[in-house]
Amino acid sequence: QVQLVESGGGLVQAGGSLRLSCAASGRTFSLYAMYWFRQAPGKEREFVAAISWRGARRYYADSVKGRFTISRDNAKNTVYLQMSSLKPEDTAVYVCAADRDYRESYGFEPDYWGQGTQVTVSS
């Protein structure tokens, strides 16, 4: 099993930047593809970004492409989401997830999920 803990959320003005982190437990982090999702109030959870086991492949939702960057440090068991040019519509709880499979699919449901961290972008 993998346990995931997100951090780095907060309040930021539109146009600003924020970096989220997700720390994973265990010694097999590099065997898991990692994902970021988000859920805004009253809306369904949506895919944000994915990164393959060693970071060679990355995939983004159209809504964040060019503004967000997913990365990982397998030595630190951590995945990151660097968010720039933030917009009020980026306000959501951001959740990281892990799965042995790497999928470039909005509808993919990873096996393991964190609790999430709140990101609020003010206008």
Side-chain angles (χ1 to χ4, degrees):
Q1 285 214 351
V2 178
Q3 293 185 327
L4 305 169
V5 179
E6 302 91 339
S7 62
L11 174 64
V12 62
Q13 289 188 333
S17 298
L18 210 56
R19 188 177 82 157
L20 306 182
S21 300
C22 173
S25 65
R27 295 176 290 180
T28 58
F29 181 68
S30 62
L31 298 181
Y32 290 86
M34 298 299 297
Y35 303 81
W36 284 99
F37 289 78
R38 68 185 181 186
Q39 188 164 17
K43 294 187 177 181
E44 293 188 355
R45 183 173 61 203
E46 66 170 335
F47 166 82
V48 175
I51 188 166
S52 61
W53 308 272
R54 296 183 179 180
R57 298 182 67 178
R58 309 178 194 199
Y59 181 66
Y60 298 93
D62 288 342
S63 58
V64 306
K65 199 174 298 181
R67 300 187 299 121
F68 290 11
T69 301
I70 189 171
S71 62
R72 66 189 295 162
D73 185 338
N74 286 350
K76 296 182 178 180
N77 282 13
T78 302
V79 62
Y80 304 98
L81 186 68
Q82 178 67 48
M83 306 184 294
S84 302
S85 302
L86 283 161
K87 306 174 182 179
E89 51 264 43
D90 293 318
T91 295
V93 174
Y94 284 72
V95 185
C96 74
D99 198 280
R100 295 292 291 265
D101 288 341
Y102 173 73
R103 301 279 183 89
E104 293 182 351
S105 170
Y106 283 32
F108 183 56
E109 289 278 332
D111 285 339
Y112 303 102
W113 296 82
Q115 293 298 309
T117 185
Q118 175 71 46
V119 171
T120 303
V121 184
S122 63
S123 57

